Amino acid sequence: MSCTLFIAGDSTAAIKGAAEKPMTGWGEHLQAYFGPSLRIDNRAVNGRSTKSFLAERRLEAIEKEFQAGDYLFIQFGHNDGKQEDPLRYADPEREFRANLERFIESARRKGGTPVLLTSVSRRRFLADGSPDPDAVGAYPEAMRQVAAGTATPLLDIFAASQQLYRALGIEGTRHLFMHLPEQAHPNYPEGISDDTHFSDVGARHIARLVAQAVHQCAALPELRQHLIRTTEGYLPGKVAMPE
């Protein structure tokens, strides 16, 4: 049976326009891991937090198309922590958690399945060369606690991305993010050094981590049936998707 997987999130997942390339959101590459029985509908938007996404009625727009059996992936945190912006800031101990519960309730009310994804980590390292566990502040842990308290499936992408960064190291992770010298790309004539947003290669890596997390999540047996490949390659008995 076919269904749709909606992504509600921020710029780390969002579809990027031609003027932003080669910056890429991980949601742009997620479809490659699922067969035609599941359609990815990426509603993530640059710069949004749980607060601004809700205030702009973007969840309501998803609800208008959301059907029983659909999935809602929910990944926020990067912009919720911007205390200087009252339109986006959501306290991790109160408002952020309450907002997440609104997303969860929405999907369940419509007969679908909400899935919480902890924020993908920024590229930030400690003096000893290990990834900074506070790279997205208190938001990953707050989301874990909401998942536990509401019995919502959780994909811990923060932990998975930090494990990837640890394996690659400080210099080995540069190519995953938007690091370009001057005149290297017409969209960034002055160059760019950005440790939050992904290059196309980085977005592919994170999409692979998301697919792997789905494959390992016992709480999502039906969604796992739509997977055609994981990091280990194509799943047995599945039709391969083109690269």
Side-chain angles (χ1 to χ4, degrees):
M1 187 171 118
S2 62
C3 60
T4 301
L5 188 159
F6 292 87
I7 300 174
D10 57 31
S11 57
T12 59
I15 298 170
K16 299 295 184 285
E20 297 173 278
K21 293 297 183 179
M23 187 183 292
T24 308
W26 62 259
E28 297 185 69
H29 289 301
L30 191 60
Q31 185 70 70
Y33 290 90
F34 292 92
S37 58
L38 182 134
R39 179 178 68 94
I40 304 295
D41 190 332
N42 190 351
R43 302 294 182 93
V45 182
N46 292 356
R48 286 355 183 239
S49 66
T50 55
K51 184 176 183 177
S52 61
F53 197 95
L54 290 169
E56 294 169 3
R57 306 180 79 168
R58 295 182 182 276
L59 179 59
E60 291 181 32
I62 292 174
E63 288 174 341
K64 291 177 181 178
E65 299 182 35
F66 198 91
Q67 303 290 321
D70 287 346
Y71 294 86
L72 179 61
F73 273 22
I74 307 152
Q75 186 191 255
F76 291 96
H78 293 92
N79 298 303
D80 291 82
K82 295 186 175 179
Q83 297 187 40
E84 71 280 5
D85 186 352
L87 295 179
R88 292 189 287 178
Y89 178 64
D91 171 16
E93 297 305 319
R94 295 183 180 180
E95 189 173 16
F96 180 67
R97 298 178 188 225
N99 290 343
L100 291 178
E101 290 174 2
R102 287 181 62 184
F103 283 91
I104 292 167
E105 189 277 332
S106 171
R108 288 178 173 164
R109 176 165 37 84
K110 300 284 286 187
T113 301
V115 181
L116 294 175
L117 288 73
T118 53
S119 308
V120 60
S121 180
R122 293 185 174 96
R123 178 179 174 265
R124 186 180 297 169
F125 289 83
L126 300 177
D128 64 1
S130 62
D132 185 351
D134 292 322
V136 195
Y139 293 92
E141 180 57 27
M143 185 170 279
R144 294 183 192 109
Q145 292 180 13
V146 170
T150 60
T152 302
L154 176 77
L155 306 181
D156 198 343
I157 306 307
F158 181 81
S161 58
Q162 288 224 318
Q163 183 176 359
L164 173 65
Y165 304 165
R166 184 175 294 105
L168 294 177
I170 297 174
E171 288 305 312
T173 51
R174 281 179 61 86
H175 73 293
L176 302 182
F177 292 83
M178 287 295 294
H179 286 268
L180 295 171
E182 292 183 13
Q183 306 303 324
H185 194 282
N187 283 342
Y188 304 92
E190 298 179 0
I192 184 172
S193 181
D194 182 339
D195 288 320
T196 296
H197 298 101
F198 298 106
S199 65
D200 186 74
V201 171
R204 290 176 186 272
H205 273 278
I206 303 304
R208 186 175 297 120
L209 293 182
V210 173
Q212 182 66 15
V214 171
H215 183 58
Q216 295 173 343
C217 186
L220 294 170
E222 292 85 6
L223 182 57
R224 290 163 63 185
Q225 293 300 309
H226 295 281
L227 281 168
I228 58 170
R229 62 171 180 160
T230 63
T231 54
E232 286 77 28
Y234 292 97
L235 297 175
K238 301 288 186 176
V239 177
M241 290 277 284
E243 294 290 345

